[in-house]
Amino acid sequence: MPTSAQGRMSNRAGRDAYGNDAELRSAERESADYRVRAVRRERARTLVVAPHGGGIEPGTSEVACGIAGDDLSLALFEGLKPGGNRRLHVTSTHFDEPRCLELLEAADCVVAIHGERGESPMVYLGGRDMELGKSIQAALLESRYAVAAHENPALQGFDPRNICNRGQTGAGVQLELSAGLRRTFFAGPTHAERARPTRELERFTKTVREGLRKAGLI
């Protein structure tokens, strides 16, 4: 894998440059350094969110879009820099971009997509919604994806302040997708290569949607 900040398929380590949205906006330029995409579908009970999309945790925007399809609400915060997008990472318990928060507060349930740095193709399942988590896990295992709880408590999504738990029910699901798994979804990690998805991206997003469907959320 390339070693540039743009090329890495994972970035969950290190201290954040910004503690919240106000700090980030005071130093970064919207539409140049980052962008926000917030789409509310009127009949959707579920929001799919990638708070570290674009070049921050590469591949998570595309996965979130695939899961949301054209019927679930979608919120993306995406790094647009040619390099150094890790600087735009605001941890999930502090994430407070207003447009994304508006969608979070309107959703019954939230599914958050993140990038994890491991090389083994893994889905690390977390969040406080145990029933939905079981439904998504069952669908993933049936499709022969490797699923586990992350050994790092900070990546398990149990904190009530975590973005996945800030919907109306106070419980959602977090999917930490390893670099090794995300690598199978695209021609490569760069922005241009991520515009050329493999069939595996569609297979994965359809699998997660099946878990949501069986839980009655689609």
Side-chain angles (χ1 to χ4, degrees), residues 11-17 86 89 91 117:
N11 300 296
R12 297 307 302 279
R15 185 174 180 177
D16 289 339
R86 176 61 181 80
H89 183 284
T91 192
R117 62 184 174 180

Side-chain angles (χ1 to χ4, degrees), residues 44-201:
R45 298 173 54 199
T46 301
L47 171 69
V48 185
V49 57
H52 309 135
I56 305 171
E57 291 173 356
T60 58
S61 287
E62 293 84 353
V63 171
C65 287
I67 295 171
D70 59 5
D71 53 354
L72 301 181
S73 295
L74 176 70
L76 306 175
F77 184 94
E78 300 179 289
L80 302 178
K81 294 172 177 285
N85 282 283
R86 176 61 181 80
R87 182 174 179 81
L88 301 170
H89 183 284
V90 175
T91 192
S92 292
T93 53
H94 295 165
F95 186 87
D96 60 351
E97 199 291 319
R99 287 157 289 186
C100 294
L101 285 186
E102 184 177 353
L103 291 183
L104 282 166
E105 292 167 359
D108 288 344
C109 181
V110 178
V111 177
I113 309 300
H114 296 274
E116 192 270 350
R117 62 184 174 180
E119 290 302 315
S120 297
M122 290 290 302
V123 180
Y124 294 103
L125 186 65
R128 295 169 66 90
D129 190 333
M130 300 301 176
E131 290 305 312
L132 178 57
K134 288 177 183 178
S135 183
I136 292 176
Q137 181 179 38
L140 289 168
L141 292 174
E142 186 174 349
S143 292
R144 300 193 175 185
Y145 289 103
V147 185
H150 203 284
E151 61 183 13
N152 182 351
L155 302 185
Q156 293 175 359
F158 290 137
D159 193 317
R161 299 169 297 172
N162 188 292
I163 193 170
C164 74
N165 299 319
R166 283 192 262 169
Q168 293 189 7
T169 64
V173 167
Q174 175 173 288
L175 299 178
E176 291 273 358
L177 310 181
S178 72
L181 178 62
R182 284 176 284 140
R183 192 176 297 118
T184 70
F185 296 158
F186 309 100
T190 66
H191 176 74
E193 290 169 325
R194 296 198 313 274
R196 306 200 317 267
T198 68
R199 292 182 179 180
E200 188 59 28
L201 175 62

Side-chain angles (χ1 to χ4, degrees), residues 2-44:
T3 57
S4 70
Q6 181 186 30
R8 291 193 205 102
M9 271 291 192
S10 131
N11 300 296
R12 297 307 302 279
R15 185 174 180 177
D16 289 339
Y18 307 116
N20 55 42
D21 182 68
E23 290 182 9
L24 185 148
R25 283 189 290 108
S26 71
E28 307 287 350
R29 302 164 299 162
E30 186 167 1
S31 300
D33 299 322
Y34 72 92
R35 68 179 174 186
V36 176
R37 288 196 275 169
V39 181
R40 182 173 183 176
R41 271 105 189 199
E42 291 300 327
R43 297 182 181 180

